């Protein structure tokens, strides 16, 4: 069914870098989600009202919140597809993140409302009338939600959408909550313990709140400026290091302006004796290849590294090893040795990961002491930097 819908409604399904294709996928997922959730909501409202089950009513409102989330997602995809303009030269793709945040907050609001009603029902229970209609509606809901979870996961992975991946997770969670309501309905009919209906409603509401809070944090993180994923960092490193003449890279920064709108900057090290025109040509090729293959706009700074001076090479190796001994997440780069009449300056950058909890002053003092031990004439000049990518991958 998923592939049939994709073939039917997506004109160029494999061109996922095209904003129009991405929007078409988003529209399809949102439209299917709205139709399914409204159908389930109406069926559960009918069953819950006829047979007096607060748990089924709670599950119906959960589907209604899912339908409203689909509406917000649809609006988000359409706004995110707007072309860059003078006021927003980086595009409008972050609207998709904002849509996800609105969806998450809506889920929290529904959860609090359901929790209040369910607590009242738990303390003041009313009889629940068993009906095969209720059982049928809940069983059908489980099957539909299982399919929706796979459907949204497939499209989410295809276009790299965190919003749709969150929707897939929400559908999977709905399978669990609806299953709990189904069990409650059956147990209430067998035992006559009407209070269980309210208790199960509380459980469903609590689960909705827990899921909603998780979705809030997931959608808020990219808006605040989260670090790039280790997979992306590793991909960038492996790509860059695969070009001729590249000795290393550092100072990687990735800025996320929404799905498909990422910008990166980094420093690349070349041997100082390399012809600048050749180094520039390699840099141009790297930047162009990232655009063509990954849709990633990369800006590269050229760092010349002295490779003909044995003293520089030996000291660089020793300093890198010392930094790893002090803390594996530390790194150094841009080492230079500048001789003088009375002393020799040793200049380098010492990089700490963001949120470093160790004692930076102690690390800096240990590195400078180590430099002085190599030669009493060495005077240490260190620039302390923060890493904006995973220290485990950045070189």
């Amino acid at each position: 069914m998923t592939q049939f819908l994709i073939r039917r409604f997506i004109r160029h399904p494999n061109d996922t870098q095209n904003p129009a294709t991405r929007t078409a996928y988003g529209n399809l997922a949102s439209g299917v989600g709205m139709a399914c959730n409204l159908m389930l909501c109406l069926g559960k409202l009918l069953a819950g009202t006829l047979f007096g089950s607060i748990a089924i009513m709670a599950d119906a409102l959960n589907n209604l919140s899912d339908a409203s989330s689909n509406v917000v997602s649809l609006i988000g995809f359409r706004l995110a597809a707007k072309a860059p303009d003078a006021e927003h030269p980086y595009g409008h793709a972050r609207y998709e993140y904002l849509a996800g945040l609105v969806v998450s907050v809506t889920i929290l609001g529904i959860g609090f409302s359901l929790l209040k009603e369910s607590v009242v029902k738990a303390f003041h229970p009313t009889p629940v009338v068993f009906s095969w209609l209720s059982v049928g509606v809940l069983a059908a809901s489980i099957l539909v939600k299982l399919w929706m979870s796979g459907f949204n996961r497939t499209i989410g992975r295809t276009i790299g959408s965190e919003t749709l991946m969150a929707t897939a997770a929400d559908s999977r969670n709905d399978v669990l909550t609806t299953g709990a309501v189904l069990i409650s309905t059956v147990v209430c009919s067998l035992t006559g313990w009407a209070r269980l209906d309210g208790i199960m409603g509380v459980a469903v509401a609590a689960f909705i709140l827990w899921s909603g809070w998780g979705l809030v944090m997931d959608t808020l993180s990219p808006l605040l400026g989260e670090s790039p994923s280790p997979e992306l960092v590793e991909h960038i490193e492996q790509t860059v290091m695969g070009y001729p003449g590249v000795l290393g890279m550092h100072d990687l920064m990735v800025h996320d302006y929404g799905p498909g709108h990422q910008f990166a900057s980094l420093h690349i090290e070349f041997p100082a004796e390399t012809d600048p025109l050749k180094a520039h040509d390699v840099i141009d090729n790297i930047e162009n290849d990232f655009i063509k293959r990954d849709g990633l706009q990369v800006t590269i700074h050229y760092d010349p590294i002295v490779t003909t001076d044995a003293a520089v090479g030996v000291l660089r190796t020793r300093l890198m090893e010392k930094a790893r001994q002090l803390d594996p997440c530390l790194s150094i780069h841009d080492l230079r040795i500048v001789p003088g009449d009375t002393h020799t300056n040793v200049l380098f950058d010492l990089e700490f990961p963001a949120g470093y909890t160790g004692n930076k002053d102690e690390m800096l003092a240990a590195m400078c002491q180590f430099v002085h031990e190599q030669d009493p004439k060495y005077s240490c000049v260190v620039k302390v930097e923060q890493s904006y990518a995973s220290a485990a991958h950045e070189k």
Side-chain angles (χ1 to χ4, degrees):
M1 176 61 75
T2 298
Q3 294 304 320
F4 169 77
L5 291 173
I6 291 175
R7 290 193 302 268
R8 177 67 177 80
F9 293 100
I10 309 298
R11 181 172 298 178
H12 303 291
N14 295 324
D15 188 15
T16 55
Q17 297 294 332
N18 188 330
T21 301
R22 183 182 182 84
T23 302
Y25 270 112
N27 292 342
L28 173 62
S30 300
V32 170
M34 281 187 286
C36 292
N37 282 311
L38 286 174
M39 177 185 67
L40 294 175
C41 176
L42 292 174
K44 291 176 185 178
L45 281 176
L46 176 63
T49 302
L50 290 176
F51 305 107
S53 172
I54 188 64
I56 295 179
M57 294 288 288
D59 209 30
L61 292 180
N62 183 32
N63 290 135
L64 182 60
S65 73
D66 289 342
S68 65
S69 299
N70 295 137
V71 174
V72 174
S73 297
L74 178 62
I75 295 173
F77 275 109
R78 288 179 177 265
L79 292 176
K82 291 177 60 179
D85 53 35
E87 291 78 20
H88 307 94
Y90 295 101
H92 301 81
R94 278 184 175 171
Y95 270 121
E96 188 174 331
Y97 294 152
L98 289 172
L101 184 60
V102 172
V103 167
S104 305
V105 173
T106 301
I107 291 174
L108 285 178
I110 294 292
F112 279 116
S113 176
L114 297 180
L115 181 63
K116 178 182 177 181
E117 294 180 16
S118 299
V119 168
V120 172
K121 184 66 178 288
F123 283 101
H124 305 284
T126 56
V128 176
V129 180
F130 176 79
S131 167
W132 286 110
L133 174 62
S134 300
V135 173
V137 168
L138 294 175
S141 175
I142 291 174
L143 295 176
V144 171
K145 282 293 183 176
L146 277 173
W147 176 80
M148 289 179 63
S149 178
F151 173 73
N152 284 292
R153 187 182 303 108
T154 298
I155 295 183
R157 288 175 176 172
T158 300
I159 64 174
S161 171
E162 290 296 329
T163 299
L164 292 183
M165 293 301 291
T167 302
D170 187 43
S171 296
R172 179 200 61 204
N173 294 342
D174 288 344
V175 172
L176 300 178
T177 57
T178 303
V181 173
L182 178 58
I183 293 173
S184 169
T185 301
V186 175
V187 173
C188 282
S189 68
L190 295 176
T191 65
W193 190 33
R195 194 182 302 274
L196 178 62
D197 183 57
I199 294 174
M200 194 61 72
V202 171
V204 170
F207 191 80
I208 291 172
L209 289 172
W210 177 77
S211 299
W213 178 251
L215 292 175
V216 166
M217 300 309 296
D218 288 342
T219 53
L220 192 60
S221 185
L223 288 172
L224 293 176
E226 64 183 358
S227 61
S229 68
E231 293 78 15
L232 177 59
V233 174
E234 184 174 5
H235 170 68
I236 292 174
E237 285 188 351
Q238 290 180 349
T239 301
V240 170
M241 295 303 296
Y243 286 82
V246 177
L247 297 178
M249 61 162 281
H250 55 270
D251 287 351
L252 172 64
M253 297 183 185
V254 178
H255 302 278
D256 188 346
Y257 290 91
H261 291 71
Q262 289 182 316
F263 299 79
S265 62
L266 55 95
H267 290 210
I268 289 183
E269 299 171 351
F270 284 94
E273 60 272 17
T274 301
D275 185 337
L277 293 178
K278 291 184 178 179
H280 189 271
D281 184 64
V282 172
I283 290 174
D284 280 345
N285 289 336
I286 296 174
E287 292 176 341
N288 291 332
D289 286 346
F290 269 118
I291 283 287
K292 293 176 183 177
R293 298 174 186 173
D294 305 293
L296 179 65
Q297 298 195 44
V298 179
T299 302
I300 298 176
H301 175 81
Y302 165 47
D303 278 340
I305 300 297
V306 176
T307 59
T308 56
D309 189 333
V312 174
V314 170
L315 184 58
R316 180 187 297 110
T317 300
R318 291 178 178 176
L319 281 174
M320 292 174 67
E321 180 61 29
K322 181 62 177 180
R324 281 192 291 265
Q325 290 177 0
L326 292 172
D327 195 321
C329 65
L330 301 183
S331 64
I332 70 157
H333 53 81
D334 288 345
L335 173 68
R336 289 177 292 146
I337 297 180
V338 182
D341 294 335
T342 60
H343 65 279
T344 297
N345 282 333
V346 176
L347 305 92
F348 61 91
D349 295 349
L350 179 61
E351 191 172 87
F352 293 86
Y356 184 71
T357 57
N359 191 316
K360 291 185 179 181
D361 292 335
E362 286 185 3
M363 298 294 105
L364 179 59
M367 291 295 292
C368 290
Q369 177 63 29
F370 181 77
V371 169
H372 186 69
E373 290 173 356
Q374 308 308 302
D375 190 326
K377 290 185 178 181
Y378 282 168
S379 177
C380 202
V381 181
V382 183
K383 178 183 177 183
V384 176
E385 292 186 339
Q386 172 189 300
S387 171
Y388 292 89
S390 172
H393 294 276
E394 189 171 1
K395 297 184 184 296

